[in-house]
Each structure stands twice: as C-alpha cells, then as structure tokens.
Amino acid sequence: MNTETTPPAPSVVDHETYLAELDALRVREKAHTHEGDAIAAARRRLPMVEVDPTITLVGADGPVPLLDVFEGRSQLIAYFHMWHTDEPVAEQCEGCTFFNGQVRELSYLHSRDVTYATLCQGPYDVSVDYRDFMGWDVPWYSAQDSADALLGDRQRSPAPLVCYLRQGGRVFETFWTSGRGLEPMAPTYGLLDMTTYGRQESWENSPAGWPQRWQRRTRDIMRTDGRPTAQWSRLRSRP
C-alpha cells in the first residue's frame, strides 16, 4: 500500500494575483543581483600576494611548475579537490564531487583568458582515475606535495577555490573562498533555489510542512544510497 502523502504546496490564485506577487519579488531579486555586482567590483579591487611560480605539481606528463598550469593564459582558477587516501571510489568526497563535477564547459572561461584546473590533494595516478571514472575532462594535477606551500594554514576541508594572476613569469594569488563561497561552481543550487521546495535542506526558511529531507553538514546531503550522487550515472559495480 502506498503510504506516501502529497506534500504541502503554495496556495492557488488567479493569474493577476500571481503576477503581482512575482513582480514584487522581482524587485528584491534585482536588488540582490546589483549587490552581487557591487561585491564583485570590490573583489576586483582587492590587493594580491605573490606566489612562488616554481612550486611543483604533478600532471599527466609528470612534475610541472605552477606557471605551466596557466596553459599560457593570464588567469587561473584552481579547485583543491580533497582526496581520501586508500579509500574506494564510493568513499571519495561527496562535496568535492558535487562542486567540481559541475564545472564542465571551459571554453567560455578560456575566451576570457582564464584557465580552470583541479589541483587534487591526493596522488596523481589514483586521483586521475577518479576524474576519468566520473567522466570529467578538466585539467587535473596532484597538489599532494605542494598544498602546504600553496594553501599555508588554510583549512583543506571544505576544499578551497583559489584565483591566480600571471604577469610574465610572476604569479599572484588574488582571491580565495570555501564553504558556501563555492556555490557559483554549482548551478544545481541556483536552479533548486528557483523551485517551490528549494534545496530541501533543514536550514532553509520554508513554510511548515515543506519537504526538508537533508540535514546540513552531513554526508548524506550529497549522497544517494551511500555513494556521491553523481556516481550512480556511472558503473555501479565500481569498487
């Protein structure tokens, strides 16, 4: 017997009332967009700090200096993907899989002279297998032996996203973020925020009775049946 109940839903109104409520919300949406523009303008005016361009990472062809990760472009966005050493595929970081896996089409970044690369905190040989298993084609490097030099005393979890600027042979760090600051990497969140039930997470301010199946800051929030959710579209038999 089906014991599921239909969750609550918004009230039903006539079309004119709906449009009036939507127009009122649009005013707030535009203000939010403009504030985001102002924050981005302030971010562009931040100072920067110099980074050793010879710091070595490991790529497909072996050790390479940070300078080469730019691929000749002037800017670099680097995501420091976490890695759980000696753990199987199903136990790799669900959060990093969620965020990094949604950065797919890089040509628009390249058209603005920006390179995107994943600097994994684990060894290259096994972590790149994970990238390939997930079907990603982003440039992939190991920062296992260089994370201390690049990140200093910053927390490694949640994985930070760091922006760099290259001027000739010199490299500068211009911005970094982590936690909810990573949300621009994940259009999934923006799309869910437009829906009636939102992200369905317990921290959200939703009407009483709205489905909120996931608790914030738990592994299950980005997992399905014990695996990072995106893995289920891949081979289920992978260990």
Side-chain angles (χ1 to χ4, degrees), residues 5 13 21 32-33 35 40-41 51 53 60 62 82 91 93 97 122 124 155 167 169 215 219 223 230 235 237 239:
T5 59
V13 297
E21 293 281 352
H32 177 72
T33 298
E35 178 60 16
V51 178
M82 288 179 57
E91 295 303 315
C93 180
T97 299
Y124 180 81
Q155 289 187 342
Q167 292 185 325
Q215 298 292 320
R219 298 184 74 196
R223 285 181 172 261
L235 297 175
S237 61

Side-chain angles (χ1 to χ4, degrees), residues 21-216:
E21 293 281 352
L22 186 59
D23 288 344
L25 184 62
R26 287 274 189 262
V27 175
R28 297 178 62 187
E29 285 185 331
K30 289 181 180 179
H32 177 72
T33 298
H34 293 158
E35 178 60 16
D37 293 341
I39 292 171
R43 189 181 294 118
R44 290 192 293 272
R45 289 164 173 78
L46 287 172
M48 60 187 183
V49 62
E50 191 158 11
V51 178
D52 182 356
T54 67
I55 291 173
T56 302
L57 301 109
V58 178
D61 298 321
V64 295
L66 175 63
L67 199 64
D68 285 5
V69 180
F70 283 77
E71 298 180 346
R73 301 183 182 92
S74 67
Q75 298 181 86
L76 169 66
I77 300 172
Y79 182 61
F80 285 80
H81 195 291
M82 288 179 57
W83 188 255
H84 301 315
T85 303
D86 298 327
E87 293 292 339
V89 166
E91 295 303 315
Q92 291 307 321
C93 180
E94 61 280 351
C96 290
T97 299
F98 175 80
F99 286 109
N100 197 48
Q102 295 182 66
V103 183
R104 304 301 296 271
E105 179 53 71
L106 304 181
S107 61
Y108 299 104
L109 291 174
H110 295 170
S111 74
R112 303 302 196 272
D113 203 27
V114 177
T115 292
Y116 177 90
T118 299
L119 308 187
C120 186
Q121 299 179 46
Y124 180 81
D125 53 352
V126 293
S127 67
V128 78
D129 282 347
Y130 186 73
R131 180 201 69 170
D132 295 343
F133 166 64
M134 293 305 300
W136 305 337
D137 56 5
V138 297
W140 193 274
Y141 301 86
S142 169
Q144 183 179 36
D145 297 327
S146 53
D148 287 344
L150 289 168
L151 297 177
D153 59 359
R154 279 172 280 196
Q155 289 187 342
R156 312 298 167 83
S157 175
L161 183 78
V162 184
C163 296
Y164 299 97
L165 174 69
R166 180 178 67 86
Q167 292 185 325
R170 302 174 71 186
V171 173
F172 303 87
E173 181 182 318
T174 61
F175 178 73
W176 78 277
T177 191
S178 187
R180 292 197 65 186
L182 300 175
E183 290 188 6
M185 298 175 66
T188 291
Y189 271 155
L191 292 171
L192 286 173
D193 285 343
M194 295 181 185
T195 67
T196 294
Y197 297 128
R199 306 180 190 189
Q200 302 177 46
E201 298 175 8
S202 60
W203 64 271
E204 290 180 285
N205 181 0
S206 295
W210 252 230
Q212 293 187 322
R213 306 174 189 176
W214 289 278
Q215 298 292 320
R216 189 177 184 186

